Amino acid sequence: MRKPDSPLWKIGTATVALATAFTVVACGSSTGTGAAPVPPGPHNAHGNQPPAPTQPLRAGERFVDLKMAEAYTPAPPEGGGTDEYRCQVIDPGLTRTAFVTGTQVTPENVALAHHAIVYAVPPGGAAAVRAHDAKTPGLGWQCFGGTGVAGAEVEEGDATWVDTWAPGASETLFTEDVGFKLEPGSLIVLQMHYNLLASDGKPAGSDRSAVRLRLTDGSPQTRELDTSPLSAPTDLPCAADESGPLCDRAASIADVTKRFGEDTGGMADRQVQECNQGGAPKPGDTQTCDHEVDEPMTLFAGFGHMHLLGRSIKVELNPGTPNAKVVLDVPQFDFDNQRLLKLPSPVDVNPGDKLRVTCTHDAKLRKQLPQLSKLPPRYVVWGDGTSDEMCTGIMTVSPRKS
Protein backbone atom coordinates (compact mmCIF):
# COMPACT_ATOMS: atom_id res chain seq x y z
CA MET A 1 0.00 0.00 0.00
CA ARG A 2 1.26 3.49 -0.79
CA LYS A 3 2.11 5.47 2.30
CA PRO A 4 -0.36 8.28 3.12
CA ASP A 5 2.08 11.14 2.47
CA SER A 6 2.86 9.97 -1.06
CA PRO A 7 1.98 12.29 -3.97
CA LEU A 8 0.00 9.35 -5.33
CA TRP A 9 -2.54 10.08 -2.61
CA LYS A 10 -2.95 13.77 -3.28
CA ILE A 11 -4.70 16.26 -5.48
CA GLY A 12 -4.31 19.48 -3.62
CA THR A 13 -3.99 17.43 -0.40
CA ALA A 14 -7.26 15.75 -1.27
CA THR A 15 -6.58 12.08 -0.69
CA VAL A 16 -7.53 9.31 -3.07
CA ALA A 17 -8.93 5.88 -2.95
CA LEU A 18 -7.06 3.00 -4.50
CA ALA A 19 -4.70 1.21 -2.12
CA THR A 20 -1.80 -0.89 -3.46
CA ALA A 21 -2.13 0.64 -6.90
CA PHE A 22 1.14 2.12 -8.11
CA THR A 23 4.76 2.56 -7.08
CA VAL A 24 6.73 5.59 -8.27
CA VAL A 25 9.79 4.48 -10.20
CA ALA A 26 11.19 7.48 -12.10
CA CYS A 27 10.63 11.09 -12.99
CA GLY A 28 12.18 13.74 -15.21
CA SER A 29 11.96 17.27 -16.56
CA SER A 30 12.69 19.14 -19.76
CA THR A 31 12.39 22.65 -21.09
CA GLY A 32 11.30 24.04 -24.44
CA THR A 33 9.29 21.08 -25.67
CA GLY A 34 7.10 23.11 -28.01
CA ALA A 35 3.80 22.70 -26.18
CA ALA A 36 0.70 23.56 -28.16
CA PRO A 37 -0.56 27.14 -27.85
CA VAL A 38 -3.40 27.90 -25.51
CA PRO A 39 -6.68 27.23 -27.33
CA PRO A 40 -8.96 30.19 -28.05
CA GLY A 41 -11.20 31.20 -25.20
CA PRO A 42 -11.09 33.13 -21.94
CA HIS A 43 -9.09 30.57 -19.93
CA ASN A 44 -10.35 32.59 -17.00
CA ALA A 45 -10.42 29.83 -14.37
CA HIS A 46 -14.21 29.54 -14.49
CA GLY A 47 -16.35 28.31 -17.33
CA ASN A 48 -19.40 30.33 -18.34
CA GLN A 49 -21.17 27.61 -20.30
CA PRO A 50 -24.36 26.12 -18.82
CA PRO A 51 -23.99 22.49 -17.72
CA ALA A 52 -24.73 19.86 -20.34
CA PRO A 53 -28.12 18.19 -19.95
CA THR A 54 -28.24 14.95 -17.99
CA GLN A 55 -28.58 11.82 -20.10
CA PRO A 56 -31.84 9.85 -19.77
CA LEU A 57 -32.07 7.07 -17.21
CA ARG A 58 -31.25 3.60 -18.42
CA ALA A 59 -33.01 0.39 -17.41
CA GLY A 60 -32.75 -0.21 -13.67
CA GLU A 61 -31.36 3.26 -12.85
CA ARG A 62 -32.75 6.03 -10.67
CA PHE A 63 -31.65 9.55 -9.78
CA VAL A 64 -30.98 10.81 -6.26
CA ASP A 65 -30.71 14.60 -6.12
CA LEU A 66 -28.65 16.03 -3.26
CA LYS A 67 -27.87 19.60 -2.27
CA MET A 68 -25.80 21.46 0.30
CA ALA A 69 -27.95 22.11 3.38
CA GLU A 70 -27.49 25.88 3.12
CA ALA A 71 -25.72 28.43 0.98
CA TYR A 72 -22.12 29.06 2.02
CA THR A 73 -20.07 32.24 1.61
CA PRO A 74 -16.40 31.28 1.16
CA ALA A 75 -13.57 33.24 2.72
CA PRO A 76 -9.78 32.78 2.48
CA PRO A 77 -7.96 30.82 5.21
CA GLU A 78 -6.21 32.51 8.10
CA GLY A 79 -2.82 31.93 6.47
CA GLY A 80 -3.75 34.21 3.59
CA GLY A 81 -4.25 33.55 -0.09
CA THR A 82 -7.40 33.39 -2.18
CA ASP A 83 -8.51 29.76 -1.86
CA GLU A 84 -10.80 27.89 0.51
CA TYR A 85 -11.58 24.18 0.60
CA ARG A 86 -14.91 23.53 2.33
CA CYS A 87 -16.54 20.16 3.00
CA GLN A 88 -20.19 19.47 3.74
CA VAL A 89 -21.89 16.21 4.56
CA ILE A 90 -24.98 15.12 2.61
CA ASP A 91 -27.06 12.04 3.46
CA PRO A 92 -28.31 10.20 0.34
CA GLY A 93 -30.78 8.26 2.51
CA LEU A 94 -29.92 4.81 1.16
CA THR A 95 -31.78 1.84 2.58
CA ARG A 96 -30.22 -0.78 0.29
CA THR A 97 -26.89 -1.27 -1.45
CA ALA A 98 -26.51 0.67 -4.68
CA PHE A 99 -23.87 1.36 -7.31
CA VAL A 100 -23.15 4.86 -8.61
CA THR A 101 -23.10 4.65 -12.41
CA GLY A 102 -23.14 8.40 -12.99
CA THR A 103 -22.68 11.71 -11.17
CA GLN A 104 -23.22 15.35 -11.97
CA VAL A 105 -22.01 18.21 -9.76
CA THR A 106 -23.74 21.54 -10.35
CA PRO A 107 -22.12 24.51 -8.60
CA GLU A 108 -24.58 27.31 -8.01
CA ASN A 109 -21.86 29.95 -8.27
CA VAL A 110 -19.42 29.00 -11.04
CA ALA A 111 -17.56 32.29 -10.57
CA LEU A 112 -16.24 30.92 -7.26
CA ALA A 113 -15.97 27.18 -7.89
CA HIS A 114 -12.47 25.95 -8.82
CA HIS A 115 -13.20 22.25 -8.46
CA ALA A 116 -15.32 19.81 -6.47
CA ILE A 117 -14.70 16.27 -5.26
CA VAL A 118 -17.45 13.84 -4.26
CA TYR A 119 -16.42 11.40 -1.52
CA ALA A 120 -18.45 8.39 -0.39
CA VAL A 121 -18.10 7.50 3.29
CA PRO A 122 -19.32 4.00 4.25
CA PRO A 123 -21.44 3.41 7.36
CA GLY A 124 -18.36 2.73 9.49
CA GLY A 125 -17.15 6.31 9.05
CA ALA A 126 -20.52 8.04 9.22
CA ALA A 127 -20.38 8.72 12.97
CA ALA A 128 -16.96 10.35 12.69
CA VAL A 129 -18.18 12.64 9.89
CA ARG A 130 -21.30 13.69 11.76
CA ALA A 131 -19.33 14.33 14.97
CA HIS A 132 -16.75 16.43 13.12
CA ASP A 133 -19.49 18.44 11.43
CA ALA A 134 -21.31 19.01 14.73
CA LYS A 135 -18.26 20.33 16.58
CA THR A 136 -17.18 22.70 13.77
CA PRO A 137 -18.74 26.19 13.91
CA GLY A 138 -20.63 27.32 10.84
CA LEU A 139 -21.65 25.36 7.79
CA GLY A 140 -19.36 22.40 7.09
CA TRP A 141 -15.62 22.47 7.81
CA GLN A 142 -12.31 23.42 6.21
CA CYS A 143 -10.76 20.43 4.46
CA PHE A 144 -7.47 20.95 2.64
CA GLY A 145 -6.68 17.31 3.43
CA GLY A 146 -9.34 15.25 1.62
CA THR A 147 -12.46 14.91 3.76
CA GLY A 148 -10.54 16.34 6.71
CA VAL A 149 -12.10 13.80 9.06
CA ALA A 150 -10.10 11.19 10.95
CA GLY A 151 -11.88 7.86 10.49
CA ALA A 152 -13.28 8.88 7.09
CA GLU A 153 -10.18 9.35 4.93
CA VAL A 154 -9.56 7.45 1.73
CA GLU A 155 -5.87 6.77 2.35
CA GLU A 156 -6.95 4.63 5.28
CA GLY A 157 -9.63 2.87 3.24
CA ASP A 158 -12.41 4.67 5.13
CA ALA A 159 -13.85 6.59 2.18
CA THR A 160 -13.87 6.53 -1.64
CA TRP A 161 -13.25 9.30 -4.15
CA VAL A 162 -16.28 8.99 -6.46
CA ASP A 163 -16.10 11.95 -8.82
CA THR A 164 -14.29 15.19 -9.64
CA TRP A 165 -15.85 18.29 -11.15
CA ALA A 166 -13.93 21.16 -12.73
CA PRO A 167 -15.01 23.90 -15.15
CA GLY A 168 -16.29 22.37 -18.37
CA ALA A 169 -17.19 19.01 -16.83
CA SER A 170 -20.60 17.52 -17.54
CA GLU A 171 -22.24 14.36 -16.22
CA THR A 172 -19.86 11.50 -15.51
CA LEU A 173 -21.56 8.41 -16.97
CA PHE A 174 -20.37 4.81 -16.94
CA THR A 175 -21.89 1.65 -18.37
CA GLU A 176 -24.46 -0.10 -16.18
CA ASP A 177 -22.11 -3.01 -15.37
CA VAL A 178 -19.58 -0.89 -13.40
CA GLY A 179 -20.05 1.57 -10.54
CA PHE A 180 -18.95 2.90 -7.16
CA LYS A 181 -20.50 0.84 -4.36
CA LEU A 182 -22.62 2.58 -1.69
CA GLU A 183 -23.98 0.63 1.26
CA PRO A 184 -27.03 1.61 3.36
CA GLY A 185 -26.06 4.33 5.84
CA SER A 186 -23.31 5.72 3.59
CA LEU A 187 -22.79 9.48 3.49
CA ILE A 188 -21.59 11.83 0.77
CA VAL A 189 -18.96 14.44 1.60
CA LEU A 190 -18.83 17.20 -0.99
CA GLN A 191 -15.54 19.10 -1.04
CA MET A 192 -15.76 22.48 -2.78
CA HIS A 193 -12.61 24.38 -3.68
CA TYR A 194 -13.55 28.06 -3.86
CA ASN A 195 -11.23 30.60 -5.46
CA LEU A 196 -11.36 34.34 -4.71
CA LEU A 197 -8.70 35.62 -7.11
CA ALA A 198 -11.20 37.80 -8.95
CA SER A 199 -12.15 39.61 -5.71
CA ASP A 200 -8.57 39.88 -4.37
CA GLY A 201 -9.29 37.39 -1.60
CA LYS A 202 -12.42 39.11 -0.29
CA PRO A 203 -15.79 37.32 0.11
CA ALA A 204 -17.70 37.60 -3.15
CA GLY A 205 -21.05 35.88 -2.78
CA SER A 206 -22.41 32.52 -1.68
CA ASP A 207 -22.77 29.08 -3.21
CA ARG A 208 -25.16 26.19 -2.71
CA SER A 209 -23.95 23.42 -4.97
CA ALA A 210 -25.85 20.25 -5.85
CA VAL A 211 -24.95 16.65 -6.72
CA ARG A 212 -27.05 14.23 -8.74
CA LEU A 213 -26.28 10.53 -8.31
CA ARG A 214 -27.33 7.96 -10.90
CA LEU A 215 -27.88 4.71 -9.00
CA THR A 216 -28.54 1.08 -9.86
CA ASP A 217 -28.96 -1.97 -7.61
CA GLY A 218 -26.26 -3.80 -9.56
CA SER A 219 -25.85 -7.54 -9.99
CA PRO A 220 -23.28 -10.21 -9.04
CA GLN A 221 -21.43 -9.28 -12.24
CA THR A 222 -21.20 -5.55 -11.50
CA ARG A 223 -17.56 -4.44 -11.22
CA GLU A 224 -16.73 -2.05 -8.41
CA LEU A 225 -14.93 1.13 -9.48
CA ASP A 226 -12.25 3.09 -7.66
CA THR A 227 -10.19 6.20 -8.37
CA SER A 228 -6.43 6.59 -8.52
CA PRO A 229 -4.28 9.58 -9.47
CA LEU A 230 -0.90 9.59 -11.18
CA SER A 231 0.98 12.74 -10.28
CA ALA A 232 4.25 14.40 -11.23
CA PRO A 233 6.08 17.30 -9.59
CA THR A 234 5.65 20.91 -10.61
CA ASP A 235 8.98 22.75 -10.67
CA LEU A 236 8.30 25.71 -12.93
CA PRO A 237 10.82 28.58 -12.61
CA CYS A 238 9.95 32.20 -13.22
CA ALA A 239 10.08 33.28 -16.86
CA ALA A 240 13.32 34.82 -18.12
CA ASP A 241 11.96 38.38 -17.84
CA GLU A 242 10.55 37.90 -14.33
CA SER A 243 12.16 38.45 -10.95
CA GLY A 244 11.16 38.78 -7.32
CA PRO A 245 11.48 37.13 -3.89
CA LEU A 246 9.11 34.25 -4.77
CA CYS A 247 11.21 33.29 -7.79
CA ASP A 248 13.30 31.39 -5.25
CA ARG A 249 12.04 27.80 -4.86
CA ALA A 250 12.47 27.69 -1.08
CA ALA A 251 10.66 31.03 -0.65
CA SER A 252 7.80 29.82 -2.82
CA ILE A 253 7.45 26.60 -0.80
CA ALA A 254 7.44 28.65 2.41
CA ASP A 255 4.61 30.76 0.98
CA VAL A 256 2.59 27.64 0.08
CA THR A 257 3.17 26.31 3.60
CA LYS A 258 1.95 29.56 5.14
CA ARG A 259 -1.24 29.46 3.10
CA PHE A 260 -2.09 25.76 3.32
CA GLY A 261 -0.07 24.18 6.11
CA GLU A 262 2.89 21.84 6.46
CA ASP A 263 1.30 18.90 4.64
CA THR A 264 0.70 20.80 1.41
CA GLY A 265 3.92 22.76 1.79
CA GLY A 266 5.91 19.53 1.94
CA MET A 267 4.42 18.08 -1.24
CA ALA A 268 6.99 19.60 -3.63
CA ASP A 269 9.94 17.97 -1.86
CA ARG A 270 8.10 14.68 -1.26
CA GLN A 271 7.33 14.43 -4.96
CA VAL A 272 10.96 15.08 -5.85
CA GLN A 273 12.05 12.37 -3.40
CA GLU A 274 9.68 9.80 -4.86
CA CYS A 275 9.68 10.75 -8.55
CA ASN A 276 13.35 11.70 -8.85
CA GLN A 277 14.35 8.69 -6.77
CA GLY A 278 15.74 10.90 -4.03
CA GLY A 279 17.50 13.29 -6.41
CA ALA A 280 17.34 17.06 -6.69
CA PRO A 281 14.53 19.10 -8.26
CA LYS A 282 14.67 19.37 -12.06
CA PRO A 283 13.38 22.84 -12.93
CA GLY A 284 11.62 23.04 -16.27
CA ASP A 285 8.30 23.48 -18.00
CA THR A 286 7.73 19.75 -18.57
CA GLN A 287 7.78 17.14 -15.80
CA THR A 288 7.27 13.37 -16.02
CA CYS A 289 6.86 10.61 -13.49
CA ASP A 290 6.67 6.83 -13.98
CA HIS A 291 4.44 4.74 -11.72
CA GLU A 292 4.79 0.96 -11.54
CA VAL A 293 1.60 -1.07 -11.29
CA ASP A 294 1.50 -3.40 -8.27
CA GLU A 295 -1.81 -5.21 -8.80
CA PRO A 296 -3.89 -6.17 -11.85
CA MET A 297 -6.62 -3.71 -12.75
CA THR A 298 -8.60 -2.27 -15.63
CA LEU A 299 -8.52 1.37 -16.72
CA PHE A 300 -11.87 2.83 -17.77
CA ALA A 301 -11.37 6.61 -17.96
CA GLY A 302 -9.03 9.48 -17.16
CA PHE A 303 -9.24 13.10 -16.09
CA GLY A 304 -6.30 15.49 -16.48
CA HIS A 305 -6.06 18.20 -13.83
CA MET A 306 -3.77 21.23 -13.79
CA HIS A 307 -4.33 24.92 -13.06
CA LEU A 308 -4.06 28.15 -15.06
CA LEU A 309 -0.49 27.67 -16.31
CA GLY A 310 -1.22 24.20 -17.71
CA ARG A 311 -0.49 23.53 -21.39
CA SER A 312 -0.84 19.74 -21.81
CA ILE A 313 -1.12 16.49 -19.90
CA LYS A 314 -0.72 12.88 -21.00
CA VAL A 315 -0.70 9.40 -19.42
CA GLU A 316 1.08 6.57 -21.26
CA LEU A 317 1.15 2.84 -20.59
CA ASN A 318 4.55 1.16 -20.92
CA PRO A 319 6.16 4.03 -22.86
CA GLY A 320 9.15 3.14 -25.03
CA THR A 321 8.06 -0.47 -25.52
CA PRO A 322 6.38 -2.23 -28.47
CA ASN A 323 3.16 -2.36 -26.44
CA ALA A 324 3.11 1.36 -25.57
CA LYS A 325 -0.34 2.95 -25.45
CA VAL A 326 -1.59 6.45 -24.66
CA VAL A 327 -4.48 6.15 -22.17
CA LEU A 328 -5.08 9.87 -21.55
CA ASP A 329 -4.14 12.72 -23.86
CA VAL A 330 -5.04 16.40 -23.43
CA PRO A 331 -2.70 18.11 -25.91
CA GLN A 332 -4.21 21.58 -25.44
CA PHE A 333 -5.22 21.84 -21.80
CA ASP A 334 -7.94 24.41 -21.07
CA PHE A 335 -8.78 25.05 -17.43
CA ASP A 336 -12.32 26.02 -18.44
CA ASN A 337 -12.89 22.74 -20.24
CA GLN A 338 -11.79 19.91 -17.95
CA ARG A 339 -13.70 16.67 -18.16
CA LEU A 340 -13.50 12.92 -17.70
CA LEU A 341 -12.45 11.15 -20.89
CA LYS A 342 -13.58 7.55 -21.25
CA LEU A 343 -11.17 5.20 -22.96
CA PRO A 344 -12.41 3.86 -26.34
CA SER A 345 -12.36 0.46 -24.64
CA PRO A 346 -11.20 -0.66 -21.16
CA VAL A 347 -7.47 -1.35 -20.86
CA ASP A 348 -6.10 -4.11 -18.62
CA VAL A 349 -2.85 -3.37 -16.79
CA ASN A 350 -0.74 -5.89 -14.93
CA PRO A 351 1.88 -5.93 -12.17
CA GLY A 352 5.15 -4.58 -13.51
CA ASP A 353 3.51 -2.34 -16.12
CA LYS A 354 4.42 1.34 -15.99
CA LEU A 355 2.15 4.35 -16.32
CA ARG A 356 3.87 7.65 -17.10
CA VAL A 357 2.22 11.02 -16.51
CA THR A 358 3.65 14.05 -18.32
CA CYS A 359 2.61 17.67 -17.78
CA THR A 360 3.75 20.88 -19.47
CA HIS A 361 3.20 24.29 -17.84
CA ASP A 362 4.02 27.76 -19.17
CA ALA A 363 5.17 30.58 -16.87
CA LYS A 364 4.64 33.13 -19.65
CA LEU A 365 0.88 32.70 -19.29
CA ARG A 366 1.08 34.51 -15.95
CA LYS A 367 1.22 37.90 -17.72
CA GLN A 368 -1.60 36.99 -20.11
CA LEU A 369 -4.23 35.86 -17.61
CA PRO A 370 -6.19 38.52 -15.69
CA GLN A 371 -6.28 36.50 -12.45
CA LEU A 372 -2.51 35.99 -12.37
CA SER A 373 -1.13 39.15 -13.96
CA LYS A 374 -1.62 41.16 -10.76
CA LEU A 375 0.21 38.59 -8.60
CA PRO A 376 3.98 38.65 -8.03
CA PRO A 377 6.06 36.23 -10.13
CA ARG A 378 6.85 32.93 -8.43
CA TYR A 379 8.70 29.68 -8.86
CA VAL A 380 5.59 27.52 -9.17
CA VAL A 381 5.41 24.33 -7.10
CA TRP A 382 2.60 21.97 -6.15
CA GLY A 383 -0.06 23.80 -4.14
CA ASP A 384 -3.77 23.93 -3.43
CA GLY A 385 -4.33 27.44 -4.78
CA THR A 386 -5.41 28.40 -8.27
CA SER A 387 -2.23 30.49 -8.50
CA ASP A 388 -0.19 27.37 -7.65
CA GLU A 389 -0.05 24.29 -9.89
CA MET A 390 -0.74 20.57 -10.04
CA CYS A 391 -0.06 17.72 -12.44
CA THR A 392 -2.41 14.77 -11.97
CA GLY A 393 -3.92 12.20 -14.30
CA ILE A 394 -6.93 10.95 -12.31
CA MET A 395 -7.73 7.44 -13.50
CA THR A 396 -10.98 5.55 -12.99
CA VAL A 397 -10.09 1.89 -12.44
CA SER A 398 -11.41 -1.45 -11.29
CA PRO A 399 -9.29 -4.12 -9.55
CA ARG A 400 -9.39 -7.50 -11.26
CA LYS A 401 -8.09 -10.98 -10.71
CA SER A 402 -4.82 -11.89 -12.41
Side-chain angles (χ1 to χ4, degrees):
M1 178 181 294
R2 300 301 303 153
K3 57 183 182 291
D5 63 353
S6 165
L8 289 176
W9 291 107
K10 307 279 186 174
I11 173 175
T13 37
T15 48
V16 294
L18 185 64
T20 64
F22 304 105
T23 301
V24 181
V25 295
C27 185
S29 169
S30 62
T31 302
T33 56
V38 174
H43 201 62
N44 280 337
H46 304 289
N48 296 316
Q49 308 92 338
T54 302
Q55 296 298 308
L57 287 169
R58 300 168 296 194
E61 292 181 330
R62 62 189 184 278
F63 285 135
V64 174
D65 289 310
L66 310 172
K67 201 168 189 177
M68 290 162 48
E70 302 173 29
Y72 178 72
T73 300
E78 293 181 0
T82 58
D83 298 270
E84 181 182 13
Y85 282 60
R86 198 75 182 180
C87 281
Q88 294 192 40
V89 59
I90 307 174
D91 188 350
L94 297 180
T95 57
R96 64 183 189 271
T97 298
F99 288 85
V100 179
T101 54
T103 54
Q104 186 163 18
V105 177
T106 307
E108 181 184 63
N109 192 337
V110 294
L112 297 175
H114 173 287
H115 80 251
I117 298 177
V118 180
Y119 296 104
V121 179
V129 169
R130 292 193 184 280
H132 189 82
D133 187 30
K135 72 179 183 182
T136 306
L139 188 65
W141 60 92
Q142 193 176 90
C143 55
F144 290 120
T147 66
V149 179
E153 286 283 29
V154 289
E155 77 270 24
E156 303 296 337
D158 297 326
T160 300
W161 181 341
V162 172
D163 191 23
T164 305
W165 172 91
S170 56
E171 182 185 22
T172 296
L173 184 64
F174 295 102
T175 57
E176 300 98 314
D177 57 349
V178 296
F180 293 92
K181 188 176 183 179
L182 293 181
E183 298 174 343
S186 296
L187 298 176
I188 296 297
V189 171
L190 176 63
Q191 180 199 68
M192 296 296 301
H193 174 184
Y194 297 112
N195 176 255
L196 302 173
L197 268 175
S199 61
D200 295 322
K202 299 178 178 63
S206 64
D207 172 70
R208 191 182 180 195
S209 294
V211 180
R212 166 171 278 187
L213 302 180
R214 180 187 294 260
L215 301 181
T216 179
D217 290 341
S219 71
Q221 288 72 45
T222 301
R223 293 186 65 174
E224 189 171 347
L225 291 178
D226 222 325
T227 302
S228 183
L230 303 167
S231 66
T234 299
D235 266 288
L236 182 67
C238 288
D241 60 348
E242 294 180 323
S243 63
L246 292 178
C247 287
D248 176 74
R249 184 178 187 272
S252 181
I253 290 176
D255 178 67
V256 170
T257 303
K258 178 182 176 182
R259 287 182 285 131
F260 300 111
E262 295 287 343
D263 191 32
T264 301
M267 274 293 292
D269 286 338
R270 290 200 301 271
Q271 286 180 318
V272 167
Q273 284 289 95
E274 295 216 1
C275 287
N276 293 0
Q277 298 181 324
K282 299 177 180 179
D285 55 15
T286 296
Q287 303 283 338
T288 67
C289 192
D290 288 351
H291 304 268
E292 185 171 314
V293 178
D294 288 340
E295 293 191 352
M297 65 186 68
T298 302
L299 309 180
F300 285 92
F303 180 101
H305 182 67
M306 299 188 289
H307 293 176
L308 293 175
L309 300 180
R311 285 284 198 178
S312 63
I313 182 169
K314 179 168 61 176
V315 176
E316 303 167 88
L317 172 64
N318 294 324
T321 73
N323 298 320
K325 180 188 294 286
V326 175
V327 294
L328 174 67
D329 190 15
V330 185
Q332 296 188 12
F333 178 80
D334 182 353
F335 187 91
D336 297 326
N337 189 24
Q338 301 180 67
R339 60 189 62 201
L340 187 78
L341 300 175
K342 287 194 290 187
L343 277 60
S345 59
V347 174
D348 288 339
V349 296
N350 301 294
D353 285 345
K354 291 182 175 63
L355 287 162
R356 174 179 296 167
V357 60
T358 301
C359 287
T360 296
H361 298 87
D362 187 351
K364 295 188 295 294
L365 291 176
R366 185 163 30 235
K367 291 186 176 180
Q368 302 175 28
L369 301 175
Q371 292 88 345
L372 300 183
S373 61
K374 53 191 175 184
L375 299 179
R378 67 167 54 240
Y379 185 117
V380 181
V381 295
W382 183 283
D384 289 347
T386 305
S387 58
D388 306 304
E389 268 302 338
M390 294 182 183
C391 169
T392 308
I394 305 166
M395 307 305 295
T396 302
V397 307
S398 179
R400 62 181 176 82
K401 296 180 180 179
S402 56

